[in-house]
Amino acid sequence: MSDFPHQIFTNILNQFGIDSPSDVEPWPFPDASDELLAGFTVDEQRLYLKMRCIEQRGERSLFETQFALKELIKLGLPAAELWSSPSGETLIPGPDWEEDKKAYYEIQYHVEGDRYLIHADSAYDAGVFIAGFHRLGDGVDTYLLGKHHWTDTFIQRRFKWFDPLVEKLNARTNVLTVDQKVIVDRMQRHRDIVWRKGLTWRLIHGNMCANNLLRNKDEFCLIDFEEIGRSEVDGETIDLLLDLPAFDHTIAERLLQGYQAGGGELTHTDLLSIQDIFILGTVDRLLNDNARPIDIPAIILSFDFVLDC
């Protein structure tokens, strides 16, 4: 683990027009990524310096993701805003502090709120908020965030746990062969749906998890837009629900109901995709407990409600 890069921190802040930060809290932060380098205060505003790596979508996409965020904020999305340098820049180039390559840095304003612990009483509101976010995204024009720039990344993330699931399923002696085939068929159906491009595409957050969805009293707020892009809309609800420590059917139903009530559009194919992942995710979690029996037909039946949402 690298030491906190004081020289890079000071140099980048100077380029942003900041020369006397106070209350500096250096990396590492508990439960935070390596890209978040430091927290500090300027004019009573709490700020965070974050490194942006150049990844699959290329250098220009870093500017496009920031552009999308700025447009969403203009349209009314509650989100962490960006600090501007004296020349108006919100991305400053610099060295990657852990590797010998180029990176960029941004400064985010602190937003009030706690990590959203989704539960049945508030899941409906979360669904309404996510639907509103997707509707706002329709007003953002960013051609570099198109699906052809990051399709494989999003799709492979969906499928990366399928093969380990099959291995765990085959290792279980108390799961009927016919039930194993049902699960494998579900995986194949999901792959077919995704590769046929049969799902609804919108501007999505790309990492809709409890760490990135904050709540302050009755208000929601989103942070960390590095993976924003145009992709399958069903993934937003899937990501949030699979982030739960234990799957709850009531939460899932209320979230989907809120999404629909908030103007979110989910086709029958979208709902089939969501249903498949809920079933597969539930089976995967149960397989981690070797002593727990698994009734696959009952699990499948329990998710019939998805198609009625």
Side-chain angles (χ1 to χ4, degrees):
M1 182 178 292
S2 301
D3 293 331
F4 174 68
H6 291 277
Q7 186 174 355
I8 292 177
F9 171 71
T10 301
N11 178 267
I12 296 298
L13 259 60
N14 286 340
Q15 294 185 63
F16 272 111
I18 299 171
D19 55 14
S20 299
S22 62
D23 302 321
V24 176
E25 181 186 8
W27 182 91
F29 290 89
D31 301 322
S33 69
D34 292 354
E35 287 77 25
L36 188 60
L37 295 192
F40 54 96
T41 300
V42 175
D43 296 332
E44 299 183 353
Q45 293 275 0
R46 193 64 179 165
L47 303 166
Y48 299 96
L49 179 66
K50 190 165 190 176
M51 183 178 72
R52 297 288 308 277
C53 299
I54 301 170
E55 297 179 344
Q56 290 95 332
R57 291 186 289 184
E59 185 171 349
R60 187 170 177 178
S61 72
L62 301 182
F63 294 87
E64 286 289 309
T65 55
Q66 279 204 350
F67 168 79
L69 172 58
K70 293 173 187 176
E71 290 299 300
L72 287 165
I73 290 173
K74 288 179 185 177
L75 293 169
L77 180 71
E81 299 195 35
L82 301 170
W83 175 279
S84 297
S85 71
S87 62
E89 298 295 328
T90 52
L91 271 173
I92 298 292
D96 185 315
W97 69 285
E98 291 195 302
E99 299 182 34
D100 184 21
K101 61 182 181 180
K102 183 180 179 181
Y104 281 84
Y105 293 83
E106 68 183 19
I107 295 176
Q108 300 176 353
Y109 282 85
H110 173 76
V111 292
E112 294 295 333
D114 298 315
R115 174 182 173 180
Y116 175 53
L117 300 176
I118 187 169
H119 50 81
D121 292 339
S122 63
Y124 184 92
D125 295 336
V128 172
F129 175 78
I130 296 171
F133 162 60
H134 288 161
R135 293 200 319 274
L136 288 178
D138 292 340
V140 177
D141 179 19
T142 92
Y143 72 93
L144 274 183
L145 295 178
K147 58 186 179 182
H148 58 285
H149 281 272
W150 218 1
T151 297
D152 289 345
T153 299
F154 281 118
I155 289 178
Q156 293 306 322
R157 182 185 301 167
R158 282 176 176 262
F159 299 153
K160 68 180 181 181
W161 52 281
F162 278 20
D163 289 341
L165 171 55
V166 172
E167 293 176 5
K168 287 188 287 186
L169 195 62
N170 290 337
R172 273 293 192 104
T173 58
N174 60 345
V175 177
L176 296 175
T177 301
V178 65
D179 290 340
Q180 292 180 358
K181 184 178 185 306
V182 168
I183 294 302
V184 172
D185 287 346
R186 286 276 175 171
M187 291 181 185
Q188 188 56 52
R189 184 178 80 170
H190 188 74
R191 284 191 174 99
D192 290 344
I193 289 173
V194 173
W195 287 116
R196 288 201 313 267
K197 308 296 189 293
L199 298 169
T200 302
W201 285 71
R202 306 287 285 271
L203 186 68
I204 68 167
H205 181 273
N207 190 17
M208 186 71 70
C209 63
N211 279 334
N212 294 332
L213 182 61
L214 307 182
R215 190 170 194 183
N216 183 14
K217 297 180 180 179
D218 293 330
E219 298 294 327
F220 288 98
C221 180
L222 279 173
I223 60 173
D224 291 343
F225 285 80
E226 286 83 352
E227 297 185 20
I228 191 171
R230 293 195 179 277
S231 188
E232 298 95 341
V233 72
D234 67 312
E236 300 278 59
T237 53
I238 289 172
D239 287 348
L240 186 57
L241 289 168
L242 291 184
D243 195 42
L244 294 174
F247 195 89
D248 187 306
H249 291 70
T250 303
I251 292 176
E253 185 169 15
R254 293 293 289 162
L255 183 75
L256 292 174
Q257 289 172 345
Y259 186 83
Q260 301 275 41
E265 298 177 2
L266 292 172
T267 67
H268 182 70
T269 304
D270 295 327
L271 293 173
L272 284 174
S273 173
I274 292 171
Q275 184 189 54
D276 285 343
I277 292 298
F278 286 177
I279 291 170
L280 297 174
T282 300
V283 171
D284 186 57
R285 290 183 176 187
L286 291 174
L287 285 170
N288 291 330
D289 183 354
N290 291 325
R292 190 168 182 177
I294 301 177
D295 187 343
I296 288 178
I299 292 172
I300 293 173
L301 185 63
S302 72
F303 285 101
D304 279 350
F305 73 86
V306 173
L307 301 183
D308 296 327
C309 289

